[in-house]
Amino acid sequence: MALQQVLHQLELATQGQGFTRLDRQINQWLLGTGLWQGMLHLSCLHTSCSLTINENADPRVLNDLADWMADIVPESRRYSHDDEGADDMPAHIRTALTAQTLSLSVDAGQLVLGTWQAVYLWEHRRRPHQRRVLCQFLGEPAAMETTSKTLNQQIQARHDPEAWAADGGIETEVDLLVDQLHDLADT
Amino acid sequence: MALQQVLHQLELATQGQGFTRLDRQINQWLLGTGLWQGMLHLSCLHTSCSLTINENADPRVLNDLADWMADIVPESRRYSHDDEGADDMPAHIRTALTAQTLSLSVDAGQLVLGTWQAVYLWEHRRRPHQRRVLCQFLGEPAAMETTSKTLNQQIQARHDPEAWAADGGIETEVDLLVDQLHDLADT
Amino acid sequence: MALQQVLHQLELATQGQGFTRLDRQINQWLLGTGLWQGMLHLSCLHTSCSLTINENADPRVLNDLADWMADIVPESRRYSHDDEGADDMPAHIRTALTAQTLSLSVDAGQLVLGTWQAVYLWEHRRRPHQRRVLCQFLGEPAAMETTSKTLNQQIQARHDPEAWAADGGIETEVDLLVDQLHDLADT
C-alpha cells in the first residue's frame, strides 16, 4: 500500500514563557487524516520557541526544567543583540539547546509515545505569541479488516454517553471515529 | 519501487548512568528487513534517558561528556520534583538537552554514519532500567542486480570461517546475508 | 503518486569555528530533483560540528549564541580526552547539545522555514575542516498543472534580466526553473 503525505499547520496562541501540550490535538488531527501508520514530522517555524518531549504527569518537572534553563541562559547576561528585549537573545539560545524538529512514529492512527511522555511547544518569550508548528505526515491507511476492528475497540474504550450532551453537539473524538467507520463501510 | 514501513521496538537493559551503543544491533536488524535504502527514525520512549551520536573510538570522550553534564545539571541543585530521588530531575533536564528522536539515513541496508560516529542510548538514571527505543524504517528493496552484487561483496568482506564454530551455530550476520541472497534468487 | 527517494552528500569547507548557512544551497539542489513535496532529512556525519536552525537576519544573534556556548562549554576545563587540542572535547560536547539530525518539510520544491529561520552547519573546531552533510529526500513530483503554474510564478518572481550577464552564463536558479518547465511540457 502506498504512503501518502499530508501537510498541516498547527496554529497556537502561547501565554508567554511556558509549555503548551501538543500531542492531544495532534492525535485528534491524525484521526481526521484516516491514515493508520507512518511518521509525523514536526517543525517549529520560529527561532524563539522550540519543541520538547517531557513528563506529562507532575507539572513540577516542567517548572524545574524552566527554572534550570532560566539560570543557565540568564536574561541578565550581556548580549549584543538586545534591541528586542532582555528575553529575546536567551530565547534564541534556549531554542538552539532544545528540539526544532521532531520525528514521531504513528501506529493505529495515534502517536506512539511512552507512558510518561507528552510533546510540548516551549515558548521562550515573555509575551504571548502566535506560533506555527508544521506537521507533515507520511503514512498509509490500514487494511480494512484491521481498521474497522480497531476503530470499534477505540469507540468502546472512549465512548462517553454524557459527551454529546456536555459539549452541546460539538464533534467529539468518538464521533470522528464513527465517521471513519462509516466511510470504510462505504468503500 | 514503493516504500515500505517496518516498526520494531528495541528493548535494552541499562546498567545505570552511561551509554549503550545502538548502531550495531540496529544494523543487524536492518539486514533482517531485506530493505536497502530509506530513513530509520528512532524515538526514545522515556523522559529520563535520551539518544545521542558521538565518538565511537576513545571512551574518554563519553566520560568527559558525562562529567560535564553532571556539573552543568547537578544533582545537588534544589528541585521541587524530588520524590523519585536526587538523580530524577537532572535526568529529565539532561533528556531535554539531548536528542529524543533521531532520523538516520540507510543505504546498502546499513546506517550511514561518519567514520567516528556511533549512536547511543544515554541512561541518565543511577539505577539499571529496561528501556525501549522505537525504530520505524521507511525503506525500499534494491533492484535485484544491485542487491546480489553488493550482498556478495559484503559476504566476502565479513566472512569469517571460524564464526560458525565460535558461536555454536547461532545465526551470524553472514548467514543473514546468505539467506537474503537465496531469497532474491527465489523471486 | 509514489514517493521517491534521493540521496545527496553536501560537501562543505568550514573556516574554523562558526556558522555556514545551508538552506540556500539545499533549495538549489531540491530544484534539481524535480520533486515537489516531501521530507528532507539532514545528517551531520561528524562528532565535532552540528546542525542548528536560528536567526537569518541579525548576525549578532549567532555571535551571542557562540559566546554563550564558549562560556558554558569552556576550553579551559580539564578534559581527559585532550590529545587532539583544547578545542576538541568542547566540540564533542557542543555537538551533543545541538542537532545532529534535522527533518525538514519541503513544499513547492523548497524547504518550509519560518520567516527568520536559516539552517546552519555549526563548526565547533578552531581549524578549517571539510564537512559532509547527508541529505536524504523522500518526496513526490507535483501534478503537472500545479507545477507549471507555480514554476511560472516563481520564474516571474525571481527573474533578473541582469543575472545572465552578471554570472557569465553560469546556470542561475531561473534557468533551472525554466528547464523544469520544459521537461514537464515534454512529458
Side-chain angles (χ1 to χ4, degrees), chain B residues 37-39 53-54 58 60-61 64 67-68 71 103 105 114 117 140, chain C residues 5 41 44-46 72 77 79-81 83 89 92 100-101 103 134 136:
Chain B
Q37 195 177 74
M39 287 304 302
I53 297 174
N54 223 305
D58 182 353
R60 292 175 304 167
V61 170
D64 283 339
D67 284 350
W68 178 89
D71 283 352
S103 294
S105 289
Q117 289 186 311
E140 61 189 337
Chain C
Q5 47 181 338
H41 304 284
C44 179
L45 299 179
H46 307 273
I72 214 78
R77 185 183 164 95
Y79 301 104
S80 60
H81 173 85
D83 352 4
M89 196 53 228
H92 290 300
Q100 296 161 304
T101 72
S103 295
L134 197 68
Q136 188 153 353

PDB file of all heavy atoms in Angstrom, chain B residues 37-39 53-54 58 60-61 64 67-68 71 103 105 114 117 140, chain C residues 5 41 44-46 72 77 79-81 83 89 92 100-101 103 134 136:
ATOM      1  N   GLN B  37      17.367   0.827   1.108  1.00  0.00           N
ATOM      2  CA  GLN B  37      17.608   2.263   1.208  1.00  0.00           C
ATOM      3  C   GLN B  37      16.388   2.917   1.839  1.00  0.00           C
ATOM      4  O   GLN B  37      15.256   2.541   1.519  1.00  0.00           O
ATOM      5  CB  GLN B  37      17.840   2.851  -0.178  1.00  0.00           C
ATOM      6  CG  GLN B  37      18.442   4.242  -0.145  1.00  0.00           C
ATOM      7  CD  GLN B  37      18.741   4.774  -1.534  1.00  0.00           C
ATOM      8  OE1 GLN B  37      17.830   5.144  -2.244  1.00  0.00           O
ATOM      9  NE2 GLN B  37      20.007   4.817  -1.900  1.00  0.00           N
ATOM     10  N   GLY B  38      16.623   3.904   2.721  1.00  0.00           N
ATOM     11  CA  GLY B  38      15.489   4.580   3.325  1.00  0.00           C
ATOM     12  C   GLY B  38      15.890   5.385   4.536  1.00  0.00           C
ATOM     13  O   GLY B  38      17.063   5.712   4.719  1.00  0.00           O
ATOM     14  N   MET B  39      14.893   5.736   5.350  1.00  0.00           N
ATOM     15  CA  MET B  39      15.126   6.508   6.572  1.00  0.00           C
ATOM     16  C   MET B  39      14.727   5.677   7.779  1.00  0.00           C
ATOM     17  O   MET B  39      13.635   5.119   7.823  1.00  0.00           O
ATOM     18  CB  MET B  39      14.283   7.790   6.571  1.00  0.00           C
ATOM     19  CG  MET B  39      14.754   8.870   5.624  1.00  0.00           C
ATOM     20  SD  MET B  39      16.481   9.419   5.848  1.00  0.00           S
ATOM     21  CE  MET B  39      16.463   9.952   7.565  1.00  0.00           C
ATOM     22  N   ILE B  53      24.508  10.969  19.313  1.00  0.00           N
ATOM     23  CA  ILE B  53      25.533  10.427  18.422  1.00  0.00           C
ATOM     24  C   ILE B  53      26.855  11.034  18.873  1.00  0.00           C
ATOM     25  O   ILE B  53      26.935  12.249  19.061  1.00  0.00           O
ATOM     26  CB  ILE B  53      25.259  10.835  16.961  1.00  0.00           C
ATOM     27  CG1 ILE B  53      23.928  10.251  16.490  1.00  0.00           C
ATOM     28  CG2 ILE B  53      26.387  10.374  16.052  1.00  0.00           C
ATOM     29  CD1 ILE B  53      23.500  10.722  15.101  1.00  0.00           C
ATOM     30  N   ASN B  54      27.867  10.192  19.115  1.00  0.00           N
ATOM     31  CA  ASN B  54      29.171  10.745  19.433  1.00  0.00           C
ATOM     32  C   ASN B  54      30.270   9.747  19.122  1.00  0.00           C
ATOM     33  O   ASN B  54      29.989   8.675  18.576  1.00  0.00           O
ATOM     34  CB  ASN B  54      29.240  11.265  20.881  1.00  0.00           C
ATOM     35  CG  ASN B  54      29.966  12.612  20.945  1.00  0.00           C
ATOM     36  OD1 ASN B  54      31.091  12.734  20.487  1.00  0.00           O
ATOM     37  ND2 ASN B  54      29.305  13.641  21.478  1.00  0.00           N
ATOM     38  N   ASP B  58      37.590   6.627  21.257  1.00  0.00           N
ATOM     39  CA  ASP B  58      38.176   6.841  22.585  1.00  0.00           C
ATOM     40  C   ASP B  58      37.068   6.978  23.640  1.00  0.00           C
ATOM     41  O   ASP B  58      36.324   7.951  23.637  1.00  0.00           O
ATOM     42  CB  ASP B  58      39.016   8.122  22.545  1.00  0.00           C
ATOM     43  CG  ASP B  58      39.703   8.392  23.881  1.00  0.00           C
ATOM     44  OD1 ASP B  58      39.436   7.671  24.868  1.00  0.00           O
ATOM     45  OD2 ASP B  58      40.511   9.341  23.928  1.00  0.00           O
ATOM     46  N   ARG B  60      37.138   7.953  26.525  1.00  0.00           N
ATOM     47  CA  ARG B  60      37.256   9.139  27.381  1.00  0.00           C
ATOM     48  C   ARG B  60      36.356  10.278  26.908  1.00  0.00           C
ATOM     49  O   ARG B  60      35.985  11.147  27.691  1.00  0.00           O
ATOM     50  CB  ARG B  60      38.719   9.604  27.432  1.00  0.00           C
ATOM     51  CG  ARG B  60      39.631   8.610  28.177  1.00  0.00           C
ATOM     52  CD  ARG B  60      41.074   9.065  28.096  1.00  0.00           C
ATOM     53  NE  ARG B  60      41.483   9.228  26.694  1.00  0.00           N
ATOM     54  CZ  ARG B  60      42.596   9.841  26.296  1.00  0.00           C
ATOM     55  NH1 ARG B  60      43.416  10.352  27.192  1.00  0.00           N
ATOM     56  NH2 ARG B  60      42.881   9.933  25.005  1.00  0.00           N
ATOM     57  N   VAL B  61      35.998  10.281  25.606  1.00  0.00           N
ATOM     58  CA  VAL B  61      35.087  11.319  25.110  1.00  0.00           C
ATOM     59  C   VAL B  61      33.744  11.226  25.834  1.00  0.00           C
ATOM     60  O   VAL B  61      33.220  12.223  26.335  1.00  0.00           O
ATOM     61  CB  VAL B  61      34.896  11.210  23.576  1.00  0.00           C
ATOM     62  CG1 VAL B  61      33.777  12.131  23.107  1.00  0.00           C
ATOM     63  CG2 VAL B  61      36.200  11.532  22.855  1.00  0.00           C
ATOM     64  N   ASP B  64      34.137  12.337  29.497  1.00  0.00           N
ATOM     65  CA  ASP B  64      34.217  13.799  29.636  1.00  0.00           C
ATOM     66  C   ASP B  64      32.848  14.444  29.417  1.00  0.00           C
ATOM     67  O   ASP B  64      32.480  15.392  30.117  1.00  0.00           O
ATOM     68  CB  ASP B  64      35.204  14.369  28.602  1.00  0.00           C
ATOM     69  CG  ASP B  64      36.670  14.159  29.011  1.00  0.00           C
ATOM     70  OD1 ASP B  64      36.931  13.953  30.210  1.00  0.00           O
ATOM     71  OD2 ASP B  64      37.536  14.219  28.120  1.00  0.00           O
ATOM     72  N   ASP B  67      30.789  13.824  32.509  1.00  0.00           N
ATOM     73  CA  ASP B  67      31.274  14.649  33.628  1.00  0.00           C
ATOM     74  C   ASP B  67      30.793  16.092  33.477  1.00  0.00           C
ATOM     75  O   ASP B  67      30.348  16.720  34.442  1.00  0.00           O
ATOM     76  CB  ASP B  67      32.819  14.657  33.666  1.00  0.00           C
ATOM     77  CG  ASP B  67      33.370  13.365  34.226  1.00  0.00           C
ATOM     78  OD1 ASP B  67      32.578  12.550  34.757  1.00  0.00           O
ATOM     79  OD2 ASP B  67      34.594  13.156  34.108  1.00  0.00           O
ATOM     80  N   TRP B  68      30.921  16.608  32.276  1.00  0.00           N
ATOM     81  CA  TRP B  68      30.455  17.980  32.024  1.00  0.00           C
ATOM     82  C   TRP B  68      28.968  18.092  32.336  1.00  0.00           C
ATOM     83  O   TRP B  68      28.524  19.034  32.999  1.00  0.00           O
ATOM     84  CB  TRP B  68      30.751  18.378  30.565  1.00  0.00           C
ATOM     85  CG  TRP B  68      30.260  19.745  30.242  1.00  0.00           C
ATOM     86  CD1 TRP B  68      30.946  20.915  30.399  1.00  0.00           C
ATOM     87  CD2 TRP B  68      28.965  20.098  29.744  1.00  0.00           C
ATOM     88  NE1 TRP B  68      30.144  21.960  30.025  1.00  0.00           N
ATOM     89  CE2 TRP B  68      28.933  21.494  29.622  1.00  0.00           C
ATOM     90  CE3 TRP B  68      27.829  19.362  29.395  1.00  0.00           C
ATOM     91  CZ2 TRP B  68      27.814  22.185  29.153  1.00  0.00           C
ATOM     92  CZ3 TRP B  68      26.716  20.027  28.943  1.00  0.00           C
ATOM     93  CH2 TRP B  68      26.710  21.419  28.822  1.00  0.00           C
ATOM     94  N   ASP B  71      28.122  18.254  35.952  1.00  0.00           N
ATOM     95  CA  ASP B  71      28.408  19.554  36.568  1.00  0.00           C
ATOM     96  C   ASP B  71      27.369  20.611  36.199  1.00  0.00           C
ATOM     97  O   ASP B  71      27.009  21.452  37.019  1.00  0.00           O
ATOM     98  CB  ASP B  71      29.795  20.061  36.128  1.00  0.00           C
ATOM     99  CG  ASP B  71      30.907  19.337  36.864  1.00  0.00           C
ATOM    100  OD1 ASP B  71      30.595  18.573  37.809  1.00  0.00           O
ATOM    101  OD2 ASP B  71      32.076  19.515  36.479  1.00  0.00           O
ATOM    102  N   SER B 103      16.748  10.854  13.158  1.00  0.00           N
ATOM    103  CA  SER B 103      16.393  10.297  11.852  1.00  0.00           C
ATOM    104  C   SER B 103      17.669  10.025  11.071  1.00  0.00           C
ATOM    105  O   SER B 103      18.420  10.952  10.782  1.00  0.00           O
ATOM    106  CB  SER B 103      15.500  11.276  11.089  1.00  0.00           C
ATOM    107  OG  SER B 103      14.249  11.420  11.750  1.00  0.00           O
ATOM    108  N   SER B 105      19.869   8.076   7.882  1.00  0.00           N
ATOM    109  CA  SER B 105      19.811   7.520   6.531  1.00  0.00           C
ATOM    110  C   SER B 105      20.318   6.088   6.514  1.00  0.00           C
ATOM    111  O   SER B 105      21.262   5.741   7.213  1.00  0.00           O
ATOM    112  CB  SER B 105      20.673   8.357   5.584  1.00  0.00           C
ATOM    113  OG  SER B 105      20.069   9.596   5.350  1.00  0.00           O
ATOM    114  N   GLY B 114      29.142   8.729  10.009  1.00  0.00           N
ATOM    115  CA  GLY B 114      30.520   9.141   9.790  1.00  0.00           C
ATOM    116  C   GLY B 114      31.479   8.140  10.425  1.00  0.00           C
ATOM    117  O   GLY B 114      31.090   7.362  11.311  1.00  0.00           O
ATOM    118  N   GLN B 117      31.426   8.159  14.168  1.00  0.00           N
ATOM    119  CA  GLN B 117      30.119   8.247  14.825  1.00  0.00           C
ATOM    120  C   GLN B 117      29.582   6.895  15.295  1.00  0.00           C
ATOM    121  O   GLN B 117      29.671   5.904  14.571  1.00  0.00           O
ATOM    122  CB  GLN B 117      29.091   8.851  13.865  1.00  0.00           C
ATOM    123  CG  GLN B 117      29.284  10.324  13.588  1.00  0.00           C
ATOM    124  CD  GLN B 117      28.155  10.901  12.748  1.00  0.00           C
ATOM    125  OE1 GLN B 117      27.791  10.339  11.724  1.00  0.00           O
ATOM    126  NE2 GLN B 117      27.616  12.011  13.182  1.00  0.00           N
ATOM    127  N   GLU B 140      13.011   0.889   0.898  1.00  0.00           N
ATOM    128  CA  GLU B 140      12.641   0.101  -0.274  1.00  0.00           C
ATOM    129  C   GLU B 140      13.721  -0.926  -0.557  1.00  0.00           C
ATOM    130  O   GLU B 140      14.886  -0.722  -0.238  1.00  0.00           O
ATOM    131  CB  GLU B 140      12.406   0.996  -1.493  1.00  0.00           C
ATOM    132  CG  GLU B 140      13.595   1.815  -1.932  1.00  0.00           C
ATOM    133  CD  GLU B 140      13.243   2.853  -3.005  1.00  0.00           C
ATOM    134  OE1 GLU B 140      12.240   2.685  -3.718  1.00  0.00           O
ATOM    135  OE2 GLU B 140      13.996   3.840  -3.129  1.00  0.00           O
TER     136      GLU B 140
ATOM    137  N   GLN C   5      12.943   8.457  -3.386  1.00  0.00           N
ATOM    138  CA  GLN C   5      13.984   8.953  -2.506  1.00  0.00           C
ATOM    139  C   GLN C   5      15.263   9.281  -3.272  1.00  0.00           C
ATOM    140  O   GLN C   5      15.634   8.593  -4.205  1.00  0.00           O
ATOM    141  CB  GLN C   5      14.254   8.024  -1.329  1.00  0.00           C
ATOM    142  CG  GLN C   5      14.399   6.567  -1.623  1.00  0.00           C
ATOM    143  CD  GLN C   5      14.626   5.785  -0.333  1.00  0.00           C
ATOM    144  OE1 GLN C   5      15.060   6.331   0.678  1.00  0.00           O
ATOM    145  NE2 GLN C   5      14.337   4.509  -0.364  1.00  0.00           N
ATOM    146  N   HIS C  41      15.762  14.953   5.092  1.00  0.00           N
ATOM    147  CA  HIS C  41      16.434  14.571   6.331  1.00  0.00           C
ATOM    148  C   HIS C  41      17.923  14.875   6.213  1.00  0.00           C
ATOM    149  O   HIS C  41      18.580  14.373   5.309  1.00  0.00           O
ATOM    150  CB  HIS C  41      16.221  13.087   6.606  1.00  0.00           C
ATOM    151  CG  HIS C  41      14.775  12.702   6.662  1.00  0.00           C
ATOM    152  ND1 HIS C  41      13.987  12.989   7.749  1.00  0.00           N
ATOM    153  CD2 HIS C  41      13.964  12.107   5.766  1.00  0.00           C
ATOM    154  CE1 HIS C  41      12.747  12.553   7.519  1.00  0.00           C
ATOM    155  NE2 HIS C  41      12.705  12.022   6.323  1.00  0.00           N
ATOM    156  N   CYS C  44      24.412  15.187   9.978  1.00  0.00           N
ATOM    157  CA  CYS C  44      25.781  15.684  10.027  1.00  0.00           C
ATOM    158  C   CYS C  44      26.685  14.489  10.354  1.00  0.00           C
ATOM    159  O   CYS C  44      26.502  13.846  11.382  1.00  0.00           O
ATOM    160  CB  CYS C  44      25.869  16.753  11.113  1.00  0.00           C
ATOM    161  SG  CYS C  44      27.515  17.415  11.280  1.00  0.00           S
ATOM    162  N   LEU C  45      27.630  14.180   9.471  1.00  0.00           N
ATOM    163  CA  LEU C  45      28.403  12.936   9.598  1.00  0.00           C
ATOM    164  C   LEU C  45      29.672  13.090  10.441  1.00  0.00           C
ATOM    165  O   LEU C  45      30.662  12.386  10.223  1.00  0.00           O
ATOM    166  CB  LEU C  45      28.738  12.376   8.205  1.00  0.00           C
ATOM    167  CG  LEU C  45      27.525  12.005   7.334  1.00  0.00           C
ATOM    168  CD1 LEU C  45      27.950  11.492   5.968  1.00  0.00           C
ATOM    169  CD2 LEU C  45      26.657  10.960   8.032  1.00  0.00           C
ATOM    170  N   HIS C  46      29.643  13.998  11.414  1.00  0.00           N
ATOM    171  CA  HIS C  46      30.823  14.275  12.236  1.00  0.00           C
ATOM    172  C   HIS C  46      30.425  14.397  13.709  1.00  0.00           C
ATOM    173  O   HIS C  46      29.252  14.572  14.019  1.00  0.00           O
ATOM    174  CB  HIS C  46      31.488  15.564  11.766  1.00  0.00           C
ATOM    175  CG  HIS C  46      31.779  15.561  10.295  1.00  0.00           C
ATOM    176  ND1 HIS C  46      32.934  15.054   9.773  1.00  0.00           N
ATOM    177  CD2 HIS C  46      31.023  15.963   9.240  1.00  0.00           C
ATOM    178  CE1 HIS C  46      32.895  15.162   8.456  1.00  0.00           C
ATOM    179  NE2 HIS C  46      31.745  15.711   8.104  1.00  0.00           N
ATOM    180  N   ILE C  72      29.881  28.249  28.448  1.00  0.00           N
ATOM    181  CA  ILE C  72      29.240  27.139  29.169  1.00  0.00           C
ATOM    182  C   ILE C  72      29.985  25.821  28.926  1.00  0.00           C
ATOM    183  O   ILE C  72      29.963  24.927  29.780  1.00  0.00           O
ATOM    184  CB  ILE C  72      27.739  27.042  28.783  1.00  0.00           C
ATOM    185  CG1 ILE C  72      26.919  26.580  29.969  1.00  0.00           C
ATOM    186  CG2 ILE C  72      27.488  26.152  27.604  1.00  0.00           C
ATOM    187  CD1 ILE C  72      26.645  27.628  30.967  1.00  0.00           C
ATOM    188  N   ARG C  77      38.361  24.039  30.715  1.00  0.00           N
ATOM    189  CA  ARG C  77      38.036  22.929  31.600  1.00  0.00           C
ATOM    190  C   ARG C  77      39.051  21.804  31.410  1.00  0.00           C
ATOM    191  O   ARG C  77      39.606  21.630  30.334  1.00  0.00           O
ATOM    192  CB  ARG C  77      36.615  22.450  31.258  1.00  0.00           C
ATOM    193  CG  ARG C  77      36.052  21.373  32.167  1.00  0.00           C
ATOM    194  CD  ARG C  77      34.665  20.925  31.702  1.00  0.00           C
ATOM    195  NE  ARG C  77      34.289  19.676  32.313  1.00  0.00           N
ATOM    196  CZ  ARG C  77      33.550  19.557  33.420  1.00  0.00           C
ATOM    197  NH1 ARG C  77      33.079  20.642  34.015  1.00  0.00           N
ATOM    198  NH2 ARG C  77      33.271  18.372  33.933  1.00  0.00           N
ATOM    199  N   TYR C  79      39.819  18.232  30.598  1.00  0.00           N
ATOM    200  CA  TYR C  79      39.218  17.056  29.963  1.00  0.00           C
ATOM    201  C   TYR C  79      40.254  15.936  29.910  1.00  0.00           C
ATOM    202  O   TYR C  79      41.447  16.198  29.740  1.00  0.00           O
ATOM    203  CB  TYR C  79      38.776  17.395  28.538  1.00  0.00           C
ATOM    204  CG  TYR C  79      37.765  18.517  28.456  1.00  0.00           C
ATOM    205  CD1 TYR C  79      38.133  19.800  28.049  1.00  0.00           C
ATOM    206  CD2 TYR C  79      36.426  18.292  28.779  1.00  0.00           C
ATOM    207  CE1 TYR C  79      37.197  20.836  27.976  1.00  0.00           C
ATOM    208  CE2 TYR C  79      35.487  19.328  28.704  1.00  0.00           C
ATOM    209  CZ  TYR C  79      35.882  20.586  28.308  1.00  0.00           C
ATOM    210  OH  TYR C  79      34.963  21.603  28.240  1.00  0.00           O
ATOM    211  N   SER C  80      39.809  14.694  30.022  1.00  0.00           N
ATOM    212  CA  SER C  80      40.767  13.578  29.925  1.00  0.00           C
ATOM    213  C   SER C  80      41.119  13.288  28.457  1.00  0.00           C
ATOM    214  O   SER C  80      42.228  12.885  28.150  1.00  0.00           O
ATOM    215  CB  SER C  80      40.218  12.332  30.622  1.00  0.00           C
ATOM    216  OG  SER C  80      39.019  11.926  30.021  1.00  0.00           O
ATOM    217  N   HIS C  81      40.163  13.533  27.548  1.00  0.00           N
ATOM    218  CA  HIS C  81      40.427  13.372  26.103  1.00  0.00           C
ATOM    219  C   HIS C  81      40.962  14.708  25.585  1.00  0.00           C
ATOM    220  O   HIS C  81      40.194  15.580  25.201  1.00  0.00           O
ATOM    221  CB  HIS C  81      39.116  12.995  25.392  1.00  0.00           C
ATOM    222  CG  HIS C  81      39.212  12.961  23.894  1.00  0.00           C
ATOM    223  ND1 HIS C  81      39.644  11.868  23.184  1.00  0.00           N
ATOM    224  CD2 HIS C  81      38.905  13.892  22.954  1.00  0.00           C
ATOM    225  CE1 HIS C  81      39.601  12.122  21.890  1.00  0.00           C
ATOM    226  NE2 HIS C  81      39.157  13.347  21.718  1.00  0.00           N
ATOM    227  N   ASP C  83      44.167  14.921  23.630  1.00  0.00           N
ATOM    228  CA  ASP C  83      45.287  14.754  22.670  1.00  0.00           C
ATOM    229  C   ASP C  83      45.073  15.523  21.370  1.00  0.00           C
ATOM    230  O   ASP C  83      46.032  15.811  20.663  1.00  0.00           O
ATOM    231  CB  ASP C  83      45.546  13.288  22.316  1.00  0.00           C
ATOM    232  CG  ASP C  83      44.754  12.296  23.147  1.00  0.00           C
ATOM    233  OD1 ASP C  83      43.930  12.733  23.974  1.00  0.00           O
ATOM    234  OD2 ASP C  83      44.936  11.091  22.963  1.00  0.00           O
ATOM    235  N   MET C  89      37.494  18.406  22.754  1.00  0.00           N
ATOM    236  CA  MET C  89      36.466  17.878  23.653  1.00  0.00           C
ATOM    237  C   MET C  89      35.281  18.848  23.760  1.00  0.00           C
ATOM    238  O   MET C  89      34.121  18.405  23.690  1.00  0.00           O
ATOM    239  CB  MET C  89      37.093  17.532  25.008  1.00  0.00           C
ATOM    240  CG  MET C  89      36.232  16.634  25.878  1.00  0.00           C
ATOM    241  SD  MET C  89      35.673  15.091  25.091  1.00  0.00           S
ATOM    242  CE  MET C  89      33.920  15.155  25.511  1.00  0.00           C
ATOM    243  N   HIS C  92      33.000  18.122  20.908  1.00  0.00           N
ATOM    244  CA  HIS C  92      32.137  16.948  21.074  1.00  0.00           C
ATOM    245  C   HIS C  92      30.924  17.269  21.948  1.00  0.00           C
ATOM    246  O   HIS C  92      29.818  16.814  21.687  1.00  0.00           O
ATOM    247  CB  HIS C  92      32.917  15.785  21.711  1.00  0.00           C
ATOM    248  CG  HIS C  92      33.953  15.180  20.827  1.00  0.00           C
ATOM    249  ND1 HIS C  92      33.644  14.603  19.623  1.00  0.00           N
ATOM    250  CD2 HIS C  92      35.296  15.058  20.963  1.00  0.00           C
ATOM    251  CE1 HIS C  92      34.760  14.135  19.054  1.00  0.00           C
ATOM    252  NE2 HIS C  92      35.775  14.412  19.844  1.00  0.00           N
ATOM    253  N   GLN C 100      22.079  16.839  15.581  1.00  0.00           N
ATOM    254  CA  GLN C 100      22.922  16.020  14.711  1.00  0.00           C
ATOM    255  C   GLN C 100      22.134  15.554  13.500  1.00  0.00           C
ATOM    256  O   GLN C 100      22.696  15.291  12.448  1.00  0.00           O
ATOM    257  CB  GLN C 100      23.502  14.860  15.520  1.00  0.00           C
ATOM    258  CG  GLN C 100      24.426  15.415  16.609  1.00  0.00           C
ATOM    259  CD  GLN C 100      24.694  14.442  17.720  1.00  0.00           C
ATOM    260  OE1 GLN C 100      23.776  13.941  18.363  1.00  0.00           O
ATOM    261  NE2 GLN C 100      25.952  14.173  17.958  1.00  0.00           N
ATOM    262  N   THR C 101      20.810  15.464  13.653  1.00  0.00           N
ATOM    263  CA  THR C 101      19.933  15.228  12.505  1.00  0.00           C
ATOM    264  C   THR C 101      18.780  16.225  12.572  1.00  0.00           C
ATOM    265  O   THR C 101      18.352  16.614  13.661  1.00  0.00           O
ATOM    266  CB  THR C 101      19.361  13.787  12.468  1.00  0.00           C
ATOM    267  OG1 THR C 101      18.377  13.616  13.498  1.00  0.00           O
ATOM    268  CG2 THR C 101      20.456  12.745  12.654  1.00  0.00           C
ATOM    269  N   SER C 103      14.948  17.092  10.410  1.00  0.00           N
ATOM    270  CA  SER C 103      13.993  16.661   9.383  1.00  0.00           C
ATOM    271  C   SER C 103      13.132  17.849   8.995  1.00  0.00           C
ATOM    272  O   SER C 103      12.412  18.388   9.833  1.00  0.00           O
ATOM    273  CB  SER C 103      13.127  15.517   9.907  1.00  0.00           C
ATOM    274  OG  SER C 103      13.930  14.379  10.147  1.00  0.00           O
ATOM    275  N   LEU C 134      24.708  14.637   4.997  1.00  0.00           N
ATOM    276  CA  LEU C 134      23.930  13.763   4.128  1.00  0.00           C
ATOM    277  C   LEU C 134      22.511  14.312   4.019  1.00  0.00           C
ATOM    278  O   LEU C 134      21.866  14.614   5.027  1.00  0.00           O
ATOM    279  CB  LEU C 134      23.905  12.345   4.713  1.00  0.00           C
ATOM    280  CG  LEU C 134      23.501  11.253   3.745  1.00  0.00           C
ATOM    281  CD1 LEU C 134      24.579  11.068   2.682  1.00  0.00           C
ATOM    282  CD2 LEU C 134      23.270   9.947   4.493  1.00  0.00           C
ATOM    283  N   GLN C 136      18.861  13.306   2.593  1.00  0.00           N
ATOM    284  CA  GLN C 136      18.016  12.266   2.009  1.00  0.00           C
ATOM    285  C   GLN C 136      16.608  12.825   1.888  1.00  0.00           C
ATOM    286  O   GLN C 136      15.992  13.236   2.864  1.00  0.00           O
ATOM    287  CB  GLN C 136      18.043  10.992   2.862  1.00  0.00           C
ATOM    288  CG  GLN C 136      17.324   9.845   2.173  1.00  0.00           C
ATOM    289  CD  GLN C 136      17.844   8.486   2.582  1.00  0.00           C
ATOM    290  OE1 GLN C 136      18.840   8.384   3.284  1.00  0.00           O
ATOM    291  NE2 GLN C 136      17.185   7.429   2.148  1.00  0.00           N
TER     292      GLN C 136
END
